[in-house]
Amino acid sequence: MSMKIDSVAHSEKATVGHAGLSLIGEMARISGLDEACLGITRKKQPQIADADILRSLCGLIAQVKTDFDHIRQFAGDSFFQAALEINRTPSAEILRQRFQEMSAHPDFEKKIQQCAIKVGQKIGVNPEVTTIGENRWIRLDVDITVFDNADTKKEGAAPTYDR
């Protein structure tokens, strides 16, 4: 018997755990994201590195937070900072302004795509690249859910539970 999704509902309640942020921080490290940021902006707020801006955005997206203002709830959150390896969580205004400046740089898109490809290669995945018009999209599916079902006999589940 297969399950079908009949509807999708939006909720203001948080339903996403924070544990996956550690994985996002590690993926940012192995992707070369910090190096890709070098020389992208003229740092108007030198206490916050360009890499911290992108790492913060990655953390937000991983938390299903799609607005710059959502960063406010992570101000002073030591786990958010440690997991993403950022020195300081930017304000919503700094996050938006600096990301807008970064995204206007002519090499930014190419550098980010190279980071996505690099992380895929490092973990043994060949990312699927989709081109639509002038846009290139790199698909990345990550399941960060950890289960310990060592005592179960679930049919067809061996690849997941056997690592």
Side-chain angles (χ1 to χ4, degrees):
M1 182 168 119
S2 66
M3 294 180 66
K4 290 174 70 176
I5 297 173
D6 295 326
S7 65
V8 176
H10 178 73
S11 173
E12 295 297 323
K13 295 180 182 176
T15 57
V16 178
H18 299 300
L21 286 177
S22 296
L23 176 63
I24 299 302
E26 179 63 8
M27 290 175 72
R29 185 188 68 76
I30 67 173
S31 73
L33 185 70
D34 296 354
E35 295 79 19
C37 293
L38 296 176
I40 293 290
T41 67
R42 299 174 316 273
K43 296 178 184 169
K44 295 180 179 103
Q45 183 83 12
Q47 302 91 340
I48 303 174
D50 288 343
D52 288 352
I53 297 294
L54 287 184
R55 284 173 176 264
S56 296
L57 282 171
C58 290
L60 286 180
I61 292 168
Q63 299 289 323
V64 195
K65 309 284 184 189
T66 57
D67 193 287
F68 293 113
D69 286 333
H70 290 146
I71 196 70
R72 295 179 199 281
Q73 72 188 71
F74 298 104
D77 185 328
S78 59
F79 180 78
F80 185 82
Q81 291 176 314
L84 295 172
E85 300 177 22
I86 60 175
N87 295 317
R88 185 172 162 203
T89 304
S91 67
E93 295 78 16
I94 294 295
L95 184 65
R96 180 184 53 77
Q97 291 166 3
R98 291 275 295 282
F99 181 68
Q100 284 178 336
E101 184 180 349
M102 294 171 87
S103 63
H105 191 279
D107 295 332
F108 181 72
E109 185 177 350
K110 184 178 180 181
K111 287 183 174 195
I112 295 301
Q113 288 175 352
Q114 290 170 344
C115 289
I117 291 168
K118 185 175 179 181
V119 77
Q121 291 170 339
K122 288 229 179 193
I123 62 175
V125 175
N126 292 321
E128 176 184 325
V129 179
T130 302
T131 303
I132 301 172
E134 295 179 7
N135 296 318
R136 291 181 63 204
W137 303 90
I138 299 172
R139 178 179 171 168
L140 179 63
D141 294 321
V142 178
D143 182 0
I144 53 140
T145 308
V146 178
F147 294 101
D148 180 11
N149 291 323
D151 296 331
T152 65
K153 304 289 184 217
K154 292 184 179 181
E155 187 176 332
T160 300
Y161 301 125
D162 289 342
R163 295 165 184 57

